[in-house]
Amino acid sequence: MGIVEKISYWIDLIVRNLITIFLSVMTVILTVQIIARSVFEGGAVWTDELARFLMIAMIFLGAALAVRDKSHITVSIFEEWKPSLRKWFAPFQWIAMLLYAGILVKFGLDTLEVVGPQTSSNMVISMGIVYAVLPISAAIMIIHLIARIGKDRHAEKGGNE
Amino acid sequence: GYSNPNIETTSEAAGNPVAANVSQDPQIREDGDVITLRLGHQTPESTNYHTASLRFKELVAEKTDGKVQIEIYPFRQLGTDRELLEAMQFGTLDLGMITGPAVSGFAPETSVLDLPYLFDGWDHVNEFIGTETEDKYRAITEEVNLKTFGLMARGFRHVSTSTGPIESLDDFNGLTVRVSESPIYIEAYEALGASPQSMNFGDAYTALEQGAIDGQENTMDINDDENINDVNSHVSKTGINFAFAFLMGSKDRFESLPEDAQVAILEASEEVLTEINKENEENEAEYENVLEEKGMEINELDLDLFKEKVEGIYQNWTDQHGTDLLSEILGMTE
Amino acid sequence: MIILFFVLIVLLFLLGVPLGFTIGLSSMVYIILADINPMIIIQQLFTGVNNSALMAIPFFILAGNLMLTGGLAQRIINLANSLIGRTTGGLAMVTILGCVFFAAISGSAVATAAALSSLMIPAMVNKGYDKDFAASVVSTASPLGAIIPPSITLIVYGSLSGSSISDLYTAGIPAGIIVGGVMLGGVYLISRKRGYKGSGKPFEIKDFGKALVNAFWALGTPIILIGGVFLGIFTPTESGVVAVVYAVIIGMFVYRELKFKELGTVIFNSAKTTATIMFIIANAYLLAYVLAYENIPSMIVSGFMNISDSALITLLIINLILLVFGMFVDTIAIIVIVVPMFLPVIETMGIDPVYFGVLVIVNTAIGMCTPPFGQTLLVTTDIVKVPLLKVSYQSMYLILALLIALVLMVLFPYIVMFPLWL
Ligand code: NA
Ligand code: NA
């Protein structure tokens, strides 16, 4: 296993745990919020915002993970019709995703400079932190995509297809 | 259901960030000599945000002999306040009519106007607007590439409830109130013993309808516009905050305009806002009557007890931002 | 340049690039070539999913998966089976009725498809049903999950249009019953023609009673979820959270089929499903920005205003457009992007936005099972490993049944709106 594949593996392991934790935390804080409001007439104003930001992180990190898993929602009409097309289409799919992720990293980082000083309205944290999840997830996508080359080549040699 | 803001918008495509003809050229569109600028706000066409925007558009066109044309995109067509401010920073939007507290996420010191019981009444507000202190205040946003042309004074925000009138601090205690997204508003409601809730207005309306929360806070005109009378029975004149909207622009874009266009915008802003502020002051009482006619009860209360409770918030604020601006604003009534 | 943009979308789509990347990359290329500040790309992607109402999606998907793992779904199927398992096309009809019941406890059509696929498709195949037909029954019936409250799509529509969600829920119930009824009829006719037999066991009140008692806690879900919203204990968005907590409690402590160590896997899978669905929604926002830049939505709207001032004709045309969009676009993406541009038209025509909402929900529910892209179609084909077009081919008559239900609701508004108009 090459170094990129190793990095891809470890990042994936972390991301899997992160999105599981994020969804769990969302559930817990909103449960507490509902109980606090309806039973104790209390509760905190930041719960909705925190849950929303966790959801956003879950979406983009999860999207990176799905690149590695090949579990993105895809309609492959031609490939179903003629499975032999798969090896001709794969490079285009790879390039499209890489381009997408590259653009996201580049302009995601640019955007951080502008939104960095902005603060969120309830937790008053830097929006830069929240927005950072986009370039980070895109960078992870790139790592997974590069790691995929090695893996796909192995698969081809082994004749697993 | 609550008054769908779409109901008022029949003439233009509305209701969505995408419904309108959004042309976001990075360069100012110059069609011959004509410069077209876009102005966005997040409220329906029935509000004073929109009235002010329309008059501003007309006056700017008049002052520049039609050379500067403004296209108005109401009701979140170009996004909510936060996104409008961001787009002005990016330079993809020229102008915006923005709710006051939203700006404090971009320029924290502007939150001085969010402080509870800052203004004694409309006289105090009128005294503040047009002074050097106001100039100083408006300059705060410049360092984040936002130009504030002027302030629209919208009126006092009062709490409406389904649980009877608020007559004392006791009535306020434990009340679940949907409060606008502003850290300082929230601090004030907490200091007064209420339980402020943060939710989007759609959810909040259903929550009010079903009694999941007790109340919300708004200016009288918005209470009428949103048909709060269908879900709440009382408006108690708590007047904790005075609401402003800012007529703003992207600073870079503004400065790239020809000199005469810049002057026209500044003059038009001042003239329109002076006029509309006077109307807003008169209308506040009007809308009170309208709400009463719609069956709501409106009650006054002794605010001195409330004012005592919020002193700590001033301390917090001056710890962070110093006392200069605040004492200038407060000093105006003395 | 807009032509280049559309060519790029179609090309990437045909090359089998994942949908989110297809629409996202095409939009990015457009924005960069049009010399618009590219930071807007980041802002639109972020803004598209920075919406509290959308939190209903992860919670209802998680709740649905927990109800499957925790045995709530199985008990509901058993109840449906005791009711109509004996008749011709028994299992197919149990699937439809199971979807109706499960829809009442789940807010998500995708979760409904996942649950019913894993429970009913193997059972149907065992009984001699064609695999692709079995998949098509689940694919066309599970959109009921979005029609019968609680429902993610109703919540999102309500938050966008400003309609009262409790009103939408009230009208969603008859709409779901009509759709379920028409589907039952359709499945019965097909099964009779193909000779799919039922269990043949006579109806026993004792069996039914037992199934009902077993399903008691599962059936408590709609009472808590919908009741909680109507009584004002929690907001509609929060009801997804309540569904999760309830499913955990019943699955772990009452039915004892949900093991603590499975919880992590269920949460992880739900998070991943949510991410792949919402990644498309985020990118759809970006696409919407490009369309707006090209004035396309306002061209559509003004085009409408010129066609006819008859409310009925307008509704029919809008429905036709939604059906076409539904073939290619994700449900929530349609609601978030396409619906708001029709709302002003609807208001001008004096059509009740709640009624319009129900039509939109039923319409986009059809989109979930029409090829080439539909969430429930993808879920079911993925499980049976049969080509998508084969399943779609089998779905033809059932989709026709769905269309009949839709047309009935367009022609006779009263049949869905009577609880509100009484
Ligand atoms: Na449902
Ligand atoms: Na479809």
Side-chain angles (χ1 to χ4, degrees):
Chain A
M1 201 156 64
I3 180 80
V4 183
E5 282 168 66
K6 265 190 199 132
I7 297 173
S8 158
Y9 173 82
W10 284 107
I11 288 180
D12 188 57
L13 202 67
I14 295 167
V15 167
R16 281 168 179 269
N17 284 300
L18 274 182
I19 65 169
T20 311
I21 293 167
F22 288 172
L23 185 52
S24 312
V25 173
M26 286 168 69
T27 311
V28 170
I29 55 173
L30 290 183
T31 307
V32 172
Q33 167 67 18
I34 297 168
I35 296 171
R37 188 191 57 234
S38 52
V39 182
F40 304 106
E41 298 183 324
V45 286
W46 48 264
T47 48
D48 173 87
E49 193 175 89
L50 177 60
R52 197 162 10 98
F53 290 168
L54 288 174
M55 174 175 77
I56 294 169
M58 177 177 86
I59 294 165
F60 289 101
L61 288 172
L65 175 147
V67 166
R68 188 174 196 273
D69 274 16
K70 298 192 178 173
S71 55
H72 267 292
I73 297 173
T74 309
V75 180
S76 22
I77 307 175
F78 281 123
E79 288 167 73
E80 266 184 15
W81 171 59
K82 247 188 181 348
S84 60
L85 284 172
R86 198 156 292 165
K87 68 167 183 275
W88 298 103
F89 283 10
F92 291 103
Q93 295 162 1
W94 190 87
I95 290 169
M97 289 192 273
L98 192 72
L99 252 173
Y100 178 100
I103 292 173
L104 218 55
V105 170
K106 162 83 179 78
F107 297 115
L109 291 175
D110 288 356
T111 309
L112 292 190
E113 279 170 38
V114 181
V115 301
Q118 191 195 137
T119 54
S120 77
S121 33
N122 286 319
M123 293 187 290
V124 201
I125 57 165
S126 162
M127 288 303 284
I129 297 173
V130 190
Y131 268 96
V133 75
L134 278 99
I136 291 172
S137 303
I140 297 175
M141 279 181 196
I142 294 175
I143 293 169
H144 288 336
L145 284 168
I146 293 171
R148 212 192 232 189
I149 305 179
K151 230 196 273 165
D152 287 352
R153 209 185 292 139
H154 283 301
E156 236 167 75
K157 274 186 193 154
N160 287 348
E161 287 275 270
Chain B
Y2 86 84
S3 82
N4 178 352
N6 281 306
I7 291 169
E8 284 83 6
T9 49
T10 48
S11 54
E12 284 172 56
N16 173 270
V18 304
N21 39 335
V22 195
S23 302
Q24 305 219 350
D25 302 61
Q27 268 77 47
I28 287 147
R29 245 193 290 158
E30 299 203 26
D31 189 7
D33 276 341
V34 175
I35 301 170
T36 307
L37 303 175
R38 288 160 316 111
L39 184 155
H41 67 79
Q42 65 169 22
T43 72
E45 289 178 36
S46 49
T47 62
N48 47 15
Y49 284 71
H50 197 66
T51 316
S53 305
L54 282 173
R55 289 188 199 164
F56 177 64
K57 165 199 167 101
E58 276 162 29
L59 201 55
V60 169
E62 192 186 303
K63 283 181 186 287
T64 56
D65 294 321
K67 206 179 92 182
V68 177
Q69 290 294 331
I70 295 174
E71 290 171 354
I72 300 172
Y73 298 89
F75 195 51
R76 304 199 296 268
Q77 283 176 34
L78 301 183
T80 58
D81 284 331
R82 196 192 71 77
E83 291 132 40
L84 295 172
L85 286 162
E86 226 171 54
M88 286 192 274
Q89 284 188 317
F90 294 161
T92 50
L93 174 68
D94 308 295
L95 303 162
M97 190 80 184
I98 310 291
T99 313
V103 183
S104 71
F106 291 72
E109 209 186 343
T110 58
S111 63
V112 66
L113 295 188
D114 302 340
L115 286 168
Y117 298 112
L118 180 69
F119 293 104
D120 287 338
W122 274 93
D123 288 346
H124 189 179
V125 174
N126 292 334
E127 236 178 299
F128 164 61
I129 289 178
T131 57
E132 264 176 43
T133 310
E134 192 221 343
D135 294 343
K136 213 189 276 179
Y137 177 81
R138 285 192 288 105
I140 297 172
T141 57
E142 302 224 355
E143 62 189 280
V144 289
N145 194 25
L146 296 166
K147 176 108 187 148
T148 306
F149 304 121
L151 305 186
M152 176 169 81
R154 297 172 49 213
F156 283 98
R157 303 180 73 98
H158 300 301
V159 175
S160 74
T161 47
S162 57
T163 49
I166 299 162
E167 281 159 339
S168 64
L169 275 171
D170 271 351
D171 295 330
F172 214 59
N173 208 23
L175 209 63
T176 47
V177 188
R178 189 263 179 183
V179 178
S180 294
E181 287 195 326
S182 151
I184 299 202
Y185 281 23
I186 303 285
E187 257 188 87
Y189 279 76
E190 279 169 348
L192 290 165
S195 167
Q197 304 289 327
S198 161
M199 45 177 82
N200 64 57
F201 201 82
D203 253 11
Y205 197 88
T206 303
L208 288 167
E209 192 177 27
Q210 309 295 350
I213 53 172
D214 302 321
Q216 57 95 43
E217 49 91 43
N218 245 318
T219 53
M220 291 291 186
D221 56 322
I222 302 292
N223 280 331
D224 169 55
D225 194 59
E226 295 285 1
N227 285 323
I228 290 300
N229 52 293
D230 285 340
V231 290
N232 278 169
S233 54
H234 288 78
V235 180
S236 302
K237 294 175 77 172
T238 50
I240 298 167
N241 303 98
F242 190 91
F244 291 92
F246 300 178
L247 180 53
M248 309 181 83
S250 166
K251 184 167 166 264
D252 287 348
R253 300 294 298 274
F254 176 76
E255 282 166 0
S256 71
L257 293 173
E259 188 74 30
D260 56 335
Q262 292 190 21
V263 172
I265 286 175
L266 290 173
E267 283 178 5
S269 163
E270 194 183 333
E271 284 172 43
V272 167
L273 292 173
T274 306
E275 184 184 68
I276 205 125
N277 285 350
K278 206 179 286 170
E279 290 171 19
N280 287 349
E281 183 177 353
E282 288 157 10
N283 287 345
E284 199 178 42
E286 265 317 295
Y287 279 109
E288 241 180 274
N289 293 336
V290 173
L291 287 170
E292 273 180 329
E293 277 163 30
K294 283 169 134 184
M296 293 197 93
E297 277 182 48
I298 293 172
N299 64 293
E300 309 265 352
L301 55 151
D302 178 12
L303 294 180
D304 288 339
L305 291 168
F306 283 63
K307 288 178 184 173
E308 275 172 30
K309 289 274 178 189
V310 298
E311 276 160 17
I313 297 168
Y314 279 73
Q315 190 59 52
N316 288 348
W317 196 88
T318 49
D319 284 351
Q320 271 181 293
H321 304 287
T323 52
D324 292 2
L325 190 60
L326 178 60
S327 49
E328 274 185 48
I329 297 172
L330 285 173
M332 293 186 148
T333 45
E334 279 147 26
Chain C
M1 195 155 70
I2 190 75
I3 293 171
L4 174 87
F5 168 74
F6 282 120
V7 168
L8 195 55
I9 285 195
V10 173
L11 191 71
L12 294 174
F13 179 80
L14 293 178
L15 280 170
V17 175
L19 282 172
F21 291 92
T22 297
I23 54 180
L25 182 61
S26 314
S27 311
M28 287 172 175
V29 168
Y30 179 94
I31 286 170
I32 292 166
L33 291 182
D35 215 7
I36 306 168
N37 185 341
M39 290 185 196
I40 212 79
I41 296 171
I42 308 298
Q43 192 200 33
Q44 292 297 309
L45 284 174
F46 179 86
T47 304
V49 287
N50 184 24
N51 176 345
S52 301
L54 295 183
M55 283 199 281
I57 298 175
F59 291 126
F60 278 118
I61 287 177
L62 175 57
N65 291 341
L66 289 166
M67 286 166 182
L68 174 63
T69 318
L72 284 80
Q74 180 65 58
R75 282 167 178 79
I76 278 186
I77 298 293
N78 294 347
L79 179 66
N81 194 35
S82 77
L83 271 172
I84 50 170
R86 68 191 180 287
T87 53
T88 300
L91 280 185
M93 289 172 78
V94 168
T95 306
I96 310 268
L97 199 62
C99 282
V100 172
F101 289 166
F102 195 74
I105 72 175
S106 164
S108 153
V110 175
T112 309
L116 272 288
S117 296
S118 64
L119 294 177
M120 291 310 294
I121 294 178
M124 279 193 275
V125 172
N126 273 341
K127 270 274 174 186
Y129 287 76
D130 297 323
K131 221 181 193 184
D132 36 1
F133 176 71
S136 80
V137 174
V138 176
S139 159
T140 49
S142 40
L144 278 165
I147 301 173
I148 296 174
S151 154
I152 294 168
T153 35
L154 284 172
I155 291 172
V156 174
Y157 176 88
S159 87
L160 261 176
S161 68
S163 329
S164 152
I165 292 162
S166 40
D167 285 355
L168 286 165
Y169 274 13
T170 309
I173 296 169
I177 291 172
I178 292 166
V179 171
V182 173
M183 293 283 295
L184 278 175
V187 159
Y188 177 77
L189 290 176
I190 295 173
S191 300
R192 210 173 62 175
K193 192 145 177 269
R194 298 193 180 177
Y196 297 138
K197 295 267 184 305
S199 68
K201 277 197 300 186
F203 178 75
E204 294 260 8
I205 191 79
K206 204 179 70 199
D207 289 349
F208 172 70
K210 219 171 114 191
L212 191 64
V213 170
N214 279 333
F216 177 81
W217 290 105
L219 292 173
T221 321
I223 297 166
I224 290 178
L225 289 191
I226 304 172
V229 170
F230 277 94
L231 289 175
I233 299 165
F234 36 80
T235 69
T237 313
E238 288 169 343
S239 71
V241 182
V242 178
V244 169
V245 174
Y246 185 77
V248 168
I249 293 172
I250 300 301
M252 273 178 119
F253 304 111
V254 181
Y255 292 158
R256 293 166 185 263
E257 288 185 25
L258 178 66
K259 302 284 172 283
F260 186 77
K261 59 174 193 277
E262 290 172 314
L263 208 54
T265 316
V266 177
I267 296 174
F268 168 73
N269 287 330
S270 307
K272 194 167 98 174
T273 307
T274 304
T276 52
I277 292 174
M278 295 189 77
F279 181 65
I280 296 181
I281 297 174
N283 284 284
Y285 249 87
L286 195 58
L287 172 89
Y289 184 85
V290 171
L291 295 182
Y293 192 89
E294 288 284 343
N295 272 339
I296 289 171
S298 52
M299 274 165 11
I300 294 176
V301 171
S302 59
F304 257 100
M305 303 306 253
N306 294 333
I307 296 173
S308 165
D309 42 16
S310 145
L312 181 66
I313 292 174
T314 307
L315 274 182
L316 285 171
I317 299 172
I318 291 181
N319 271 294
L320 204 65
I321 292 179
L322 287 174
L323 282 170
V324 174
F325 271 111
M327 292 172 70
F328 304 97
V329 189
D330 169 73
T331 311
I332 301 288
I334 295 181
I335 292 177
V336 167
I337 292 156
V338 183
V339 164
M341 64 195 209
F342 289 134
L343 272 173
V345 182
I346 293 301
E347 305 278 6
T348 324
M349 297 265 169
I351 299 167
D352 186 337
V354 171
Y355 169 59
F356 181 63
V358 173
L359 293 183
V360 168
I361 287 352
V362 174
N363 196 312
T364 53
I366 298 175
M368 292 180 194
C369 56
T370 52
F373 171 71
Q375 297 278 7
T376 62
L377 178 65
L378 288 169
V379 169
T380 49
T381 44
D382 189 48
I383 284 170
V384 292
K385 305 287 178 224
V386 166
L388 186 135
L389 291 176
K390 268 182 118 173
V391 177
S392 311
Y393 180 74
Q394 287 291 328
S395 304
M396 227 159 40
Y397 293 106
L398 293 173
I399 290 172
L400 189 69
L402 287 170
L403 288 173
I404 291 170
L406 178 63
V407 171
L408 284 176
M409 291 178 214
V410 174
L411 294 179
F412 311 107
Y414 195 78
I415 58 176
V416 286
M417 297 301 286
F418 70 90
L420 290 165
W421 290 349
L422 276 180

